[in-house]
Amino acid sequence: MGKLTTHVLDTANGRPGAGIKIELFALAGDARRALKTVTTNDDGRCDEPLLEGAAFATGEYELVFHAGDYFASLGTQVPHPRFVDRVVLRFGIADDSAHYHVPLLVSPWSYSTYRGS
């Protein structure tokens, strides 16, 4: 059975992004349905898959990472408004038997992602 996982790396400080709020939404056209809200653990990961089993299905999804709040909690000096605040990643799941890992590498000035394993 497939599953969806994520993790966050703080590239500005060279450590896991611990304590970052992440929201997961299912998308259907213009509709957006909230599925789950989690907070990353000390390793920058979620304690369990975001989706698995019967809940893991093909379709379009959105992850929202509250990166700006994370950097503010560290006391990072950034301008107002923040350059990177909430990072929104929209992606598709085409194979419900595969593992989709969607990591975020983030700093107050940039971010990147990829489909991991």
Side-chain angles (χ1 to χ4, degrees), residues 8-18 42-43 70 74:
V8 183
L9 297 174
D10 173 349
T11 58
N13 296 296
R15 63 184 185 196
D42 289 344
D43 195 34
Y70 163 76
L74 297 178

Side-chain angles (χ1 to χ4, degrees), residues 4 22-27 32-33 35-36 60-65 87-92:
L4 172 65
I22 303 170
E23 297 171 292
L24 173 64
F25 297 89
L27 305 175
R32 185 176 181 242
R33 182 172 47 93
L35 297 178
K36 187 178 274 191
E60 294 181 355
Y61 294 88
E62 181 179 279
L63 285 169
V64 179
F65 298 85
V87 176
V88 178
L89 301 179
R90 287 190 172 198
F91 60 95

